Amino acid sequence: MGRHIAFFNIPALGHVTPTLALVEELTRRGHRVSYACVEQRRPLLEAVGATVRSYRSLRPADSDPTVRAPARSGYLGQTLLSFLDEAVNAWAQLAAGYRADPPDLIVYDRMAFAGRVLAAQLNVPTVQLWPMLVSNEYWSLAQLPDAVDPTDPALLTYHVKLESFLAAHCPDLDPAQFLTPVPHRHLSFYPRAFQPAGELFDSSYRFVGPCLRRTSGRWRPPADGPLVLVTLGTIYNADPGFYRCAIEAFAGTPWHVVLAVGERIDVGALGRLPSNMELHRVVPQLDVLAHATALACHAGMGGIMEAMAFGVPVLAVPQTLEQEANAARVEELALGVRTAPAGLTPAVLGQAVELMVKDVAVADGVARMRRQIQAAGGTGHAADLIEDSLH
């Protein structure tokens, strides 16, 4: 008989999308999956069989043109405070409903703090999801040079608000240990080899690789030849200069360019496109990657892993501290190359892609990571581990 599995997530598509195939598999196996997220994600979640418990978010909408990446030194503090505020907000709207219909297991995204607190209050087992690199005693973003400013006002406010939130709803949780929970399991949506110091992580950390859900046939390339997908993801994508750089880099070349620019910019500002390019707000990314020669992107984990699953090298142009860490792994593991956004020119961008796709070491690195993804088990393995956590 199926059990009630509650998913808690933040609204960002880069966090929701990796869970879709997993939710679909769990519902196929007969479990009832409730999913706490925003109303805007309802179509995606209902399509995979979830019952949506929606709440009104404090996070900016996908089309908000004002969203900008925090400064590197303030990234961790602003991120933690932002998602703590989101958790307090979500708790007020969702907690009573889950107390009335308690789940048998709570699966929560690393940044979906309300799920972590609710599980402790209800005393139910948990699985923590990692769509980003794992942070713990072996490795964390906070260990990177100049990553944390101890005087950052956002970080100080986060600590004060966290103590208040836990005191009100789950005083048994220690604020000092809040970011290092011990769930029944950690599930990471990438292979162990991509994790810095991954060999040190014990069996409570399972690196299942990307859980991909592809709806094929929605996109086809216009012709044979090299193809590059250019995207900055779905959050910090309001950067017309980056897209214009890519347009100029590949104009009049044999490359076919697919530009996925998101919903935050005026596409008219990009001007008339050359004949070898197409522009979209959103693309069926897996369909495009199935035909791609290269991916030029912001170094989000989801995009990197999707590219690796299709054997596509990555030109990483990171914008945040988290993306810098991902881009460093891309370079260290020969999965592509990285370049800084500052000073990026069409010549630099075009040449970097041309050299990358001809680099034998990169081809070998991508092929190796692709094999590791296949061996990691993906959706089926992740569902098995969640079911095991129910016992």
Side-chain angles (χ1 to χ4, degrees):
M1 181 177 177
R3 310 282 286 280
H4 178 194
I5 303 172
F7 276 66
F8 276 73
N9 214 332
I10 64 173
L13 281 169
H15 290 244
V16 174
T17 299
T19 70
L20 295 177
L22 177 54
V23 169
E24 187 171 51
E25 177 62 17
L26 290 169
T27 57
R28 187 192 68 78
R29 296 183 184 191
H31 299 290
R32 176 166 66 100
V33 175
S34 61
Y35 203 117
C37 202
V38 296
E39 188 67 21
Q40 188 178 11
R41 308 300 179 219
R42 180 180 292 275
L44 287 174
L45 296 168
E46 290 186 341
V48 296
T51 300
V52 179
R53 302 280 182 90
S54 66
Y55 70 93
R56 295 176 302 281
S57 176
L58 301 178
R59 303 289 296 166
D62 293 345
S63 58
D64 185 343
T66 66
V67 175
R68 295 293 183 273
R72 187 179 190 279
S73 62
Y75 178 77
L76 286 178
Q78 290 188 43
T79 298
L80 289 172
L81 178 57
S82 172
F83 287 116
L84 177 58
D85 286 341
E86 180 78 350
V88 173
N89 169 63
W91 178 276
Q93 299 174 61
L94 296 170
Y98 276 103
R99 284 195 292 266
D101 180 23
D104 299 296
L105 174 73
I106 290 181
V107 181
Y108 63 92
D109 182 274
R110 163 65 166 172
M111 305 309 297
F113 299 147
R116 160 119 163 80
V117 176
L118 182 65
Q121 189 182 80
L122 297 179
N123 193 29
V124 298
T126 58
V127 172
Q128 182 170 245
L129 301 179
W130 291 89
M132 75 278 275
L133 291 171
V134 173
S135 291
N136 64 9
E137 68 271 28
Y138 300 118
W139 184 91
S140 75
L141 289 176
Q143 295 169 358
L144 300 180
D146 303 320
V148 178
D149 175 4
T151 66
D152 179 7
L155 193 58
L156 299 175
T157 302
Y158 160 77
H159 288 300
V160 171
K161 287 189 173 183
L162 178 62
E163 289 183 4
S164 176
F165 182 47
L166 296 182
H169 302 295
C170 197
D172 290 339
L173 286 180
D174 180 0
Q177 304 299 319
F178 185 72
L179 293 178
T180 55
V182 185
H184 188 72
R185 248 188 206 107
H186 299 267
L187 288 188
S188 298
F189 292 118
Y190 52 90
R192 183 181 291 268
F194 196 82
Q195 172 66 44
E199 71 280 0
L200 301 177
F201 289 65
D202 64 31
S203 61
S204 67
Y205 292 87
R206 298 301 181 93
F207 298 86
V208 300
C211 298
L212 304 182
R213 181 176 184 267
R214 182 182 175 196
T215 304
S216 60
R218 295 168 57 195
W219 184 89
R220 290 285 187 274
D224 293 334
L227 185 153
V228 58
L229 171 61
V230 178
T231 177
L232 290 177
T234 57
I235 300 181
Y236 304 123
N237 55 16
D239 187 355
F242 175 79
Y243 306 118
R244 282 194 291 265
C245 182
I247 291 168
E248 187 175 341
F250 295 104
T253 71
W255 287 86
H256 184 73
V257 180
V258 179
L259 292 155
V261 301
E263 301 178 21
R264 303 185 197 277
I265 68 166
D266 174 12
V267 295
L270 299 179
R272 185 181 180 91
L273 287 183
S275 59
N276 64 322
M277 302 187 185
E278 58 184 91
L279 183 147
H280 306 272
R281 294 284 188 187
V282 180
V283 299
Q285 187 154 296
L286 298 184
D287 286 352
V288 178
L289 287 172
H291 300 279
T293 311
L295 170 65
C297 72
H298 58 301
M301 181 67 79
I304 292 171
M305 287 299 117
E306 289 172 358
M308 293 302 107
F310 285 94
V312 178
V314 173
L315 172 66
V317 189
Q319 300 174 302
T320 68
L321 183 66
E322 178 185 334
Q323 293 163 10
E324 286 180 24
N326 293 341
R329 291 303 279 167
V330 166
E331 186 173 64
E332 291 163 3
L333 299 173
L335 308 179
V337 297
R338 65 170 168 171
T339 184
L344 185 65
T345 66
V348 169
L349 177 57
Q351 183 179 46
V353 171
E354 290 282 0
L355 293 175
M356 177 180 73
V357 300
K358 297 173 184 175
D359 190 324
V360 174
V362 169
D364 289 345
V366 171
R368 184 165 50 251
M369 184 58 65
R370 191 178 193 184
R371 291 192 297 270
Q372 289 164 339
I373 285 173
Q374 292 165 348
T379 303
H381 188 202
D384 290 344
L385 292 169
I386 286 178
E387 286 188 321
D388 181 67
S389 302
L390 285 161
H391 301 145

